[in-house]
Amino acid sequence: MTAAAVAPAGARVARGIGFALVSYACFSTSDAIIKLASARFSVFEIAFTVSLAALLPVLALARGQGGLRALLPARWPLVLARGGLSSTCALLCWKAFALLPLADGYAILFASPMLVTALSVPLLGESVGWRRWTATAVGFAGVLVMIRPGFAAVGVGHLLAIVGALLGALSFCVLRRIGRSERSAPIMAVLFVCIALETAPLALRDLVVPTAPELALLVLAGLLQGAGQAALVLATRDAAAAIVAPFQYSQMLWAVLFGALLFGDRPDPVLFAGLTIAAASGLYTLWRETVRQRPVTLTAGRGEVPARAAR
């Protein structure tokens, strides 16, 4: 029997929360490095390098799931579909971060759980009651507040983040189809392989040879992406996804911190007002998903795992 199996329930939940906080800190730190690197390198070169480095923590996770054979998907078509959607989502998000303050980008991406609710009706045949529809509408209103009434300030970065959030939601709908039939290691490995394959030709076209410190930073960003995914898997092993999911909002704290220290960003009160509305809506939707015993959305498209079957 493993130590995790005999640990007190409270200790396991606390450990799961710790892994979740580490996971979202890894994602946010990686995003900040990618934003810094985008001043010199194309998003394709960044994504290619990051994806290769990110495979290393995933390989370590696969070792604990049975070795390299654990990287082979059981349901290739669905896993590839999810990989394609998520990889494109990641590229759009990283490009959006290059154009927007991190806090603004995260604010829009937090709409993904609401989009999952809306898409689950036509794509998954699920029933959504008036309470969750109301929460979804309120959440979208919060996102509109964050990107400013009248769309006067909406630019390419906002649009990229919006499309990224949509692709992330579609990715999670595919993940629901996959369900318990697939381990987490192949799902994550296919994601990073898809990113590498998508970006390799354009990365070579736009190649700027990095210095040793620059390459080290890009590799660090990739290691953090992979470590964040692995930590999220470990988090959902020790704590219910309903407990883990709210901690995704900790990314906003990192975004504000990195934005102030590295980029001189100063988010205004309107952003936080909209975030409060969207977060409240997301937490209510999360609660309803838990009551109805459905998979919970964890940072859809960028760091999600099969929340009820991470193993």
Side-chain angles (χ1 to χ4, degrees):
M1 187 174 292
T2 64
V6 299
R12 292 189 64 190
V13 170
R15 184 169 56 199
I17 291 172
F19 278 126
L21 289 171
V22 169
S23 171
Y24 294 121
C26 286
F27 289 137
S28 301
T29 306
S30 177
D31 290 337
I33 294 173
I34 289 171
K35 180 174 174 63
L36 277 173
S38 66
R40 173 163 159 78
F41 304 101
S42 74
V43 69
F44 304 109
E45 183 175 353
I46 293 170
F48 179 76
T49 308
V50 165
S51 62
L52 293 182
L55 282 170
L56 296 178
V58 175
L59 290 174
L61 179 66
R63 184 178 179 183
Q65 296 185 353
L68 292 179
R69 288 186 178 181
L71 294 175
L72 298 177
R75 304 181 69 180
W76 275 101
L78 287 176
V79 173
L80 284 175
R82 183 266 173 185
L85 288 168
S86 294
S87 59
T88 307
C89 168
L91 290 173
L92 292 176
C93 291
W94 291 334
K95 183 61 177 177
F97 292 149
L99 300 173
L100 297 174
L102 284 174
D104 288 40
Y106 283 147
I108 296 172
L109 293 177
F110 286 151
S112 265
M114 294 166 256
L115 290 169
V116 169
T117 297
L119 292 171
S120 65
V121 177
L123 297 183
L124 302 176
E126 295 180 358
S127 61
V128 176
W130 67 270
R131 295 179 182 86
R132 284 196 297 151
W133 277 125
T134 302
T136 299
V138 170
F140 280 125
V143 172
L144 290 177
V145 169
M146 286 185 278
I147 60 177
R148 306 297 184 272
F151 298 92
V154 172
V156 174
H158 297 89
L159 297 177
L160 291 174
I162 290 169
V163 177
L166 176 60
L167 292 179
L170 288 170
S171 167
F172 195 78
C173 288
V174 175
L175 196 61
R176 282 187 173 177
R177 287 289 188 192
I178 294 173
R180 297 175 181 272
S181 63
E182 199 70 69
R183 291 179 180 269
S184 49
I187 291 175
M188 291 186 288
V190 168
L191 163 62
F192 292 124
V193 170
C194 283
I195 292 175
L197 292 177
E198 282 184 26
T199 57
L202 294 173
L204 290 173
R205 185 197 67 182
D206 301 330
L207 180 65
V208 174
V209 179
T211 64
E214 289 170 339
L215 180 60
L217 270 180
L218 291 175
V219 170
L220 175 60
L223 292 174
L224 288 169
Q225 284 287 329
Q229 297 249 8
L232 198 54
V233 170
L234 296 175
T236 55
R237 283 177 177 172
D238 285 330
I243 295 175
V244 172
F247 289 95
Q248 63 189 301
Y249 293 108
S250 66
Q251 289 182 282
M252 184 59 76
L253 300 177
W254 288 108
V256 172
L257 177 63
F258 286 133
L261 293 179
L262 300 178
F263 308 108
D265 296 331
R266 295 291 186 273
D268 58 37
V270 174
L271 178 70
F272 287 105
L275 175 64
T276 301
I277 296 170
S281 167
L283 291 174
Y284 177 80
T285 300
L286 164 67
W287 175 73
R288 290 297 300 174
E289 295 283 311
T290 305
V291 167
R292 298 173 69 88
Q293 297 184 332
R294 287 177 174 150
V296 172
T297 309
L298 298 177
T299 55
R302 303 184 59 245
E304 85 278 54
V305 296
R308 293 167 69 187
R311 59 197 194 281

